[in-house]
Amino acid sequence: MPRLLLVEDNEEGREGLSRHLRRRGFEVLFAADGRQALEAARAAGPDLILMDMSLPILDGWEATRRLKADEATRPIPVIALTAHAMAGDREKALEAGCDDYETKPVEMPRLLAKIGALLNGRGAGGGHG
Ligand code: MN
C-alpha cells in the first residue's frame, strides 16, 4: 500500500483529502506544519508527499527545499498544493524542488493521475526527477 504524507495545516482540508485518498487504497500520514513535515519525512519515509505551500513555522517552499537538500529525503516525490492560482506559482514550486503542482480545491482524478505518475517514476514535473 503506497504511503502518502499529507502536509496541511487546515484540518478540514486534511480530513477531506485523506478520506478520498484512503478510499483509493493509500495509507495517509499527516503533518500540520513544515517542521513536522521534515520530521515525518525522515522518520516514516513516505512514498510521496502532498505539500500545502501555506504552512506555519516553515512554509511549504522552504520545507521542500530542505527535503530536497537532504540525501535521505531527496528521492521522495513532492506534489505542491496551493490555493493560489497565481501566475508563477507553478514555476516557484518547481524551483523549490517540487516534482509537480496542484491547485486547490483539488480535483481528485487529476491529483490521482499525478500521484500515479510519480509513484511509477515518470512525473510530469519540471525535470527535477
Ligand atoms: Mn495552509
Side-chain angles (χ1 to χ4, degrees):
M1 189 189 303
R3 193 192 291 178
L4 308 183
L5 173 59
L6 174 58
V7 188
E8 170 62 83
D9 58 318
N10 179 285
E11 201 180 326
E12 251 177 66
R14 202 160 60 215
E15 283 174 7
L17 192 49
S18 71
R19 200 179 321 119
H20 283 291
L21 292 166
R22 286 209 179 88
R23 209 179 286 152
R24 302 301 180 122
F26 293 103
E27 182 183 343
V28 184
L29 312 171
F30 297 116
D33 63 58
R35 192 181 55 205
Q36 279 184 21
L38 298 179
E39 287 165 3
R42 290 189 189 117
D47 298 299
L48 185 143
I49 299 172
L50 296 170
M51 180 81 79
D52 178 32
M53 291 287 109
S54 172
L55 293 168
I57 303 181
L58 268 186
D59 68 22
W61 321 106
E62 184 58 27
T64 301
R65 273 183 216 109
R66 294 191 192 186
L67 287 169
K68 296 299 184 179
D70 182 337
E71 269 178 46
T73 52
R74 184 180 302 148
I76 306 171
V78 177
I79 298 179
L81 302 177
T82 174
H84 316 285
M86 307 247 303
D89 254 16
R90 184 175 190 280
E91 287 68 23
K92 201 175 151 196
L94 298 176
E95 272 167 26
C98 295
D99 299 272
D100 211 332
Y101 173 92
E102 183 65 29
T103 306
K104 294 194 280 188
V106 165
E107 262 183 52
M108 279 314 286
R110 196 171 59 198
L111 179 62
L112 289 167
K114 289 178 178 179
I115 291 171
L118 286 167
L119 290 177
N120 290 315
R122 41 185 176 80
H128 285 262

